[in-house]
Amino acid sequence: MQIKRRTFLKGALAGSALLSLPLVFDSKADAREELKPYKPDKVTFNFCEMCFWNCTEKVFVNDGKVRKLEGNDKSPLNFGKLCAKGQAGIKTLYDDNRLKTPLIRVGERGEGKWKKVSWEEAFEFAAKKFKEVIDKYGPETIGLEMHGTGEPGIHRLFEVLGGTTNFAIPAYSQCTGSRDVGFYYTFGAALGGHEPFDLSNSRYIIMLGRNETESLHVSELYHFSKAIGNKAKIVYVDPRYTHTAAKADKYLQIKPGTDAAFVLALINVMVTEDLINHDFVDKYTTGYDKLKPHIAKYTPQWAQEQTGIKAEEIIQIAREISSFAPNCIIVPPRRSTRYGDDTQFARAIAIANVLLGNWFQPGGFFKPNKIKVPNADMPDVEESKYAQLAQQKNAANAVLSLTNLPTTTQEIVGVLGLDNILWEAIRTQKPYPIKAMISYATNPLFHTGDSNKVKEAISKLDFYMVVDILPWEHTLYADIVFPESTYLEMYAALKSIGWKYPYVNFREPAVDTIYDTRDIWAIAHGIAKHMGLGEFFPFSDAKGVLYSSLNQMPKDQRDKLLKDGVISLGPIPEDADLSGDIDPKVAYQKMLDAYKKAPFNPYPIALGEDVSFNTGSGKIDIYSDSLAGNSFDPLPNYTPPNKPKKQNEFRLIFGRVAVHTHARTQDNEWLLEHYDDNNVWINPQDAKSINIKDGDKVVLVKGNLKSLYPVKAKVTDKIIQGTVFIVHGWGRFSPYTTRCYEKGVSDAEFCSNDTDPLSGAAAFLNSFVSIEKV
């Protein structure tokens, strides 16, 4: 299946831009043609928390209520743009299902029966429980998972309570971990959450399951749109025809789990036909001599059998992208938790890009830049008595002891954690009991590969504490629930993220708290104070933390941040003009000349600067001695995906839609108007084989497990045969989130619980389900 071209994305984005203008319709029909300027009582600054891209925004307030959100046009991150999710942040603020006061469980775990308590009672209860666990089992038996801007506050509390490495940011093991490990072994650097893809200056882009237009981040889509406008050629590879596929010049429907075969065959053609960027490879890499014999077996003809993509197509694409080197890119997918060989797949993509010589080049990978901001003035957490006790006990890291990860991976995991293995350590109580757990702004029942195992793990805990905004499913199991304020009601610590254009964000409350909620710094401060550890939280809330940092900044920067809501190191040079008849070499040189005068430089190799890499060799490791030394393949090999064991079982894959973020926006009134349920995509031939028609109500079945709520079958040839697809984040069973209650089917109940042996991250897509009509 090959479907060509795209035309409307630029128009669609122009429409989105209109939505973000500060204008409002008169309600009278005859006045609809006249847009009137919106006159707010006040405008405050913030950065969005509806997803983790954290776009900078302005908040318009009238009569004490937030009326409108729009992108901050002074931000070099999102350039005044804001997506549907971002604009719907108002409806999260005013969601009457929100957690409104601290709650202590009175029923059985899972029943969701609580009593309302005061903040003092809640702090005392949590402090008492933490003390009991530490006294009985030790400080190393406390675990933490966290996600979002408040991570530093809750992690500081965790450190004060003992500070072991039994914590996790789910984004590693559930999303980008394998990709980051693969790039780390190659370049000595992970790509991180704000990927350095220079799409707007690229002339040829290959995307392997990176569904840019639906798993969207505003600025990435903005630059992707510019690439389309600049006539970049786009190849999209996916088992499913997505909105991004519709924008591509060429769509290739690939068999699930065979992407590595496709990339290895591209490398084979580049090497065999000598299409590589020799100047770059000779100067910056090691191991190319070992790659040549290694890659010989991965021919396009071999890959055709694996992937279902014709050998001639693979050869043509390898030749085409090489002809645009170094101003081209093979985009490594963001969620790389797929089939268990994902780290080596990421290595293959990294090496293919190395052969194109596109590192720190226009149109390839840019170098992220960052503004350093001062930390708030607080005592060293290692002085905490519990941290010192944990150090004396020198307990093994529970998570790492359950893995056989190589040393370098363990170092990365030590920073980001392995959430899937952490829950397994709790479930098995090995190598020692973890008896207290904190879930901050993340729902483990919707981000793990087997939610039933998480429920079993929670039953092993003496104390389970949740901090969140809404009463999601995991709160039903919590012993105590702390209600956090939304981002529109609070301050936050300064945030500076590495990006092409360096910047610092600023958050201030637009309105007073609507309910009896607090920010995470206030919650951590209250618990620590009741444990006799208040000295480690000298500020009672996020405002104190923020202003401790602000007061250390140079006055001109501080004043600008308070005035504009963002600071950058601009002005930003224009991207290369590739849309007209200008010679691309001339256009690139004009842009690079401008960057010579800029206070930051995303293209150091293009500008002739000396660059070294954080690897053992100081160069890019095509061949990894580190992996060889740990008995892993030093060059990427292909591992075929697993197969179903029974007839009429289908591989389950999942993804996202543009108007929802993970499993955290499904109760939002405005977003539900655009997408309020998921359905099951199934190929027409598969549907015929099991007598399913389009629109039939069906359930997923895996062993003794059936999905809770029936959903509609969507019979379409946009999904490859043998595979079914659902949108992530549905199958909601908390009766307190009434807008999404009993809607959809949850992938988290049916995904694989496998892991990648090289990264430890999840391999969600190794699972098969059957479909039953109801």
Side-chain angles (χ1 to χ4, degrees), residues 115 154 257 312 332 449 515 594 685 744:
K115 65 176 180 180
I154 194 69
E312 308 90 78
Y515 304 114
Q685 294 186 52

Side-chain angles (χ1 to χ4, degrees), residues 110-281:
E111 287 188 323
K113 293 181 179 177
W114 303 297
K115 65 176 180 180
K116 296 178 181 178
V117 296
S118 70
W119 281 95
E120 286 302 303
E121 289 177 283
F123 290 144
E124 185 58 37
F125 180 83
K128 179 174 177 287
K129 290 294 183 181
F130 280 126
K131 283 180 181 176
E132 288 175 356
V133 168
I134 292 173
D135 291 344
K136 189 171 182 179
Y137 303 103
E140 72 277 13
T141 65
I142 298 174
L144 164 68
E145 61 176 1
M146 56 187 182
H147 205 179
T149 297
E151 287 172 10
I154 194 69
H155 188 254
R156 183 172 180 83
L157 174 65
F158 177 71
E159 289 183 304
V160 169
L161 296 180
T164 70
T165 52
N166 292 328
F167 76 94
I169 300 170
Y172 173 86
S173 55
Q174 267 76 336
C175 190
T176 62
S178 292
R179 183 187 68 178
D180 285 345
V181 170
F183 269 73
Y184 196 89
Y185 277 105
T186 311
F187 292 94
L191 293 180
H194 282 60
E195 292 91 338
F197 309 148
D198 196 32
L199 298 179
S200 54
N201 290 306
S202 194
R203 300 183 66 198
Y204 200 107
I205 299 170
I206 300 176
M207 291 185 161
L208 296 121
R210 175 66 183 117
N211 188 5
E212 194 73 57
T213 62
E214 294 179 275
S215 302
L216 72 87
H217 298 122
V218 167
S219 50
E220 270 198 353
L221 182 56
Y222 172 75
H223 291 289
F224 180 64
S225 176
K226 290 184 74 174
I228 293 174
N230 284 342
K231 303 174 186 174
K233 186 162 185 177
I234 296 166
V235 176
Y236 186 75
V237 185
D238 198 315
R240 187 173 70 100
Y241 185 78
T242 67
H243 289 184
T244 306
K247 312 300 176 293
D249 295 87
K250 185 184 289 291
Y251 166 59
L252 301 173
Q253 192 170 50
I254 192 171
K255 295 178 184 176
T258 66
D259 305 59
F262 174 77
V263 177
L264 289 168
L266 290 179
I267 297 174
N268 174 286
V269 177
M270 293 179 195
V271 171
T272 304
E273 298 190 8
D274 196 20
L275 303 175
I276 68 167
N277 187 330
H278 279 288
D279 290 342
F280 184 90
V281 170

Side-chain angles (χ1 to χ4, degrees), residues 298-320:
Y298 295 123
T299 65
Q301 292 74 25
W302 164 84
Q304 177 177 314
E305 293 297 316
Q306 304 299 320
T307 65
I309 298 172
K310 292 179 180 177
E312 308 90 78
E313 292 274 16
I314 297 172
I315 294 170
Q316 180 188 357
I317 291 168
R319 290 172 178 170
E320 285 179 352

Side-chain angles (χ1 to χ4, degrees), residues 338-404:
R338 299 178 174 187
Y339 305 98
D341 66 339
D342 307 298
T343 304
Q344 290 292 14
F345 168 47
R347 281 267 294 153
I349 295 178
I351 291 170
N353 279 297
V354 168
L355 300 184
L356 297 168
N358 60 6
W359 199 250
F360 296 167
Q361 291 278 1
F365 294 85
F366 61 76
K367 178 185 177 182
N369 298 277
K370 189 173 183 178
I371 298 175
K372 188 175 182 180
V373 296
N375 294 323
D377 188 13
M378 290 188 277
D380 187 348
V381 292
E382 292 185 1
E383 298 299 320
S384 155
K385 61 182 180 183
Y386 295 128
Q388 292 181 352
L389 177 60
Q391 195 170 18
Q392 291 167 12
K393 294 188 71 171
N394 194 28
N397 181 300
V399 172
L400 290 179
S401 68
L402 297 181
T403 70
N404 292 307

Side-chain angles (χ1 to χ4, degrees), residues 509-526:
V511 291
D512 293 337
T513 52
I514 297 172
Y515 304 114
D516 189 13
T517 60
R518 298 188 183 183
D519 67 62
I520 188 58
W521 285 97
I523 295 170
H525 171 269

